[in-house]
């Protein structure tokens, strides 16, 4: 069973603690939850959880951009915090405007 072997949890903790990419995704999720709770506009836990998961996934996918740009992996934590702070709606609006400008050219 997955949860009964303590070595599984130790290995998982070790993998997360050395990977800046996963730390960035976790940071995005935590900041997103804190931001939504601080705003107080959303009260349903399913929406708060989905916001956190989407921000974490966006941060995880942004790690390929970090790798492409040859930036240090530690930038993933800062980028994760920024993604979590901005939120899904803001990121979607920014990317839509950017894509619209690129399409117009």
């Amino acid at each position: 069973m997955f949860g009964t072997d303590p070595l599984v949890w130790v290995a998982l903790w070790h993998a997360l603690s050395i990977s800046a990419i996963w730390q960035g995704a976790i940071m995005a999720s935590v900041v997103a939850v804190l931001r939504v709770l601080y705003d107080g506009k959303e009260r349903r836990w399913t929406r708060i959880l989905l916001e956190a998961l989407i921000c974490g996934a966006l941060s995880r996918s942004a790690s390929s951009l970090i790798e492409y740009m040859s930036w240090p992996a530690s930038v993933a934590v800062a980028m994760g915090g920024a993604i979590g702070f901005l939120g899904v709606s803001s990121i979607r609006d920014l990317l839509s405007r950017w894509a619209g400008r690129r399409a117009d050219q």
Side-chain angles (χ1 to χ4, degrees):
M1 185 80 182
F2 180 72
T4 58
D5 186 8
L7 293 179
V8 171
W9 294 109
V10 170
L12 181 63
W13 178 258
H14 180 68
L16 292 177
S17 66
I18 62 170
S19 173
I21 293 169
W22 282 106
Q23 290 172 359
I26 293 168
M27 176 65 75
S29 298
V30 169
V31 171
V33 167
L34 293 175
R35 177 186 45 79
V36 171
L37 290 175
Y38 180 76
D39 286 346
K41 296 176 184 173
E42 187 59 57
R43 302 234 183 260
R44 292 183 296 181
W45 280 100
T46 54
R47 297 279 304 209
I48 295 171
L49 180 64
L50 287 174
E51 175 82 12
L53 289 174
I54 293 171
C55 284
L58 282 172
S59 177
R60 182 67 178 94
S61 64
S63 65
S64 61
L65 175 66
I66 292 170
E67 185 178 325
Y68 176 76
M69 300 295 281
S70 299
W71 294 341
S74 58
V75 173
V77 178
M79 190 174 284
I83 288 171
F85 182 73
L86 290 173
V88 175
S89 298
S90 297
I91 298 290
R92 181 177 48 234
D93 292 343
L94 278 169
L95 290 176
S96 293
R97 283 195 305 251
W98 177 79
R101 284 194 307 263
R102 297 286 293 179
D104 290 341
Q105 290 179 356

